[in-house]
């Protein structure tokens, strides 16, 4: 039986770290330069917040100046963390349960990096839709899709996964027009 893929297996040790006193503008410039959607806000070696694309959009919506607003005023708290040895399945479930797209990965109170929803999708995407795999005998049937169930690795059913239209990690996928979609995308 195959070992579950761990967070450590897909994590890159590079992450963008900023302080609470940095400006949002400087943080956004750093995030763009590093091509990442989030920055961990650290105090010493402790994660105290996270700045995401959504936080910046909220700042813009409120009409605040990114050059004058500090990270401490714009960051999201608390930072949701996960241990590096936890499975990707657990990480995806945690993201869904906490309604976040980024997790700080720690090991013995040390920050190892940030795990993003895109990391999870990239790591698990190669396992979907491969009929020549050993799991072919356990593939989801049309009846399962009509009932809103997707067959998982161990033969159990789940409806959690990644929406094929918007890419969001959601609790409840359903089949619509030949795709597995979240509730929002099914309404469109």
């Amino acid at each position: 039986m195959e070992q579950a893929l761990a967070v450590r297996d897909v994590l890159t040790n590079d992450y963008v770290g900023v302080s609470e006193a940095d400006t949002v503008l400087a943080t956004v410039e750093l995030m763009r330069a590093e091509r990442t959607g989030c920055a961990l806000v650290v105090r010493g070696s402790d994660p105290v917040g996270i700045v995401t694309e959504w936080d910046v959009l909220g700042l813009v919506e409120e009409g605040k100046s990114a050059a004058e607003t500090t990270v401490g005023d714009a960051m999201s708290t608390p930072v949701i963390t996960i241990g590096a040895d936890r499975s990707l399945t657990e990480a995806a479930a945690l993201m869904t349960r906490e309604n976040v797209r980024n997790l700080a990965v720690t090991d013995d109170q040390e920050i190892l990096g940030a795990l993003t929803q895109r990391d999870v999708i990239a790591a698990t995407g190669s396992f979907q839709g491969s009929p020549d795999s050993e799991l072919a005998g356990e593939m989801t049937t049309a009846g399962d899709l009509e009932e809103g169930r997707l067959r998982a690795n161990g033969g159990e059913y789940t409806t959690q996964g990644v929406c094929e239209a918007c890419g969001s990690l959601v609790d409840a996928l359903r089949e619509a027009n030949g795709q597995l979609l979240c509730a929002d995308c099914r309404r469109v």
Side-chain angles (χ1 to χ4, degrees):
M1 182 165 204
E2 232 179 272
Q3 186 79 357
L5 201 56
V7 169
R8 178 182 306 282
D9 298 330
V10 299
L11 181 69
T12 59
N13 290 341
D14 297 334
Y15 68 92
V16 173
V18 296
S19 78
E20 295 164 278
D22 290 335
T23 66
V24 172
L25 180 59
T27 301
V28 168
E29 290 170 346
L30 183 58
M31 288 168 56
R32 285 187 47 86
E34 296 296 325
R35 301 186 53 79
T36 186
C38 70
L40 292 177
V41 184
V42 293
R43 189 180 302 141
S45 62
D46 296 326
V48 295
I50 188 168
V51 175
T52 68
E53 297 159 325
W54 283 102
D55 296 320
V56 175
L57 289 173
L59 186 77
V60 170
E61 179 184 42
E62 294 171 5
K64 294 182 180 176
S65 167
E68 296 173 8
T69 304
T70 65
V71 167
D73 291 332
M75 68 185 184
S76 296
T77 59
V79 180
I80 309 299
T81 62
I82 191 164
D85 293 326
R86 306 304 291 227
S87 74
L88 273 185
T89 303
E90 290 175 273
L94 180 60
M95 287 177 173
T96 300
R97 186 172 57 251
E98 297 293 331
N99 195 27
V100 296
R101 296 179 182 202
N102 307 282
L103 300 172
V105 180
T106 59
D107 188 16
D108 296 326
Q109 303 303 320
E110 178 185 1
I111 302 171
L112 297 181
L115 181 73
T116 69
Q117 187 178 46
R118 287 181 180 142
D119 296 333
V120 174
I121 292 167
T124 59
S126 62
F127 297 113
Q128 297 178 10
S130 54
D132 57 346
S133 74
E134 294 177 14
L135 301 176
E138 297 181 15
M139 291 180 70
T140 304
T141 66
D144 294 332
L145 290 174
E146 288 172 13
E147 295 296 318
R149 298 178 307 222
L150 305 175
R151 191 177 297 271
N153 194 1
E156 300 171 4
Y157 289 95
T158 181
T159 59
Q160 180 179 343
V162 177
C163 175
E164 293 180 4
C166 68
S168 294
L169 184 63
V170 295
D171 280 330
L173 289 174
R174 300 285 188 271
E175 192 275 334
N177 297 325
Q179 291 184 306
L180 297 174
L181 303 175
C182 66
D184 292 336
C185 291
R186 287 193 310 269
R187 286 187 213 128
V188 174

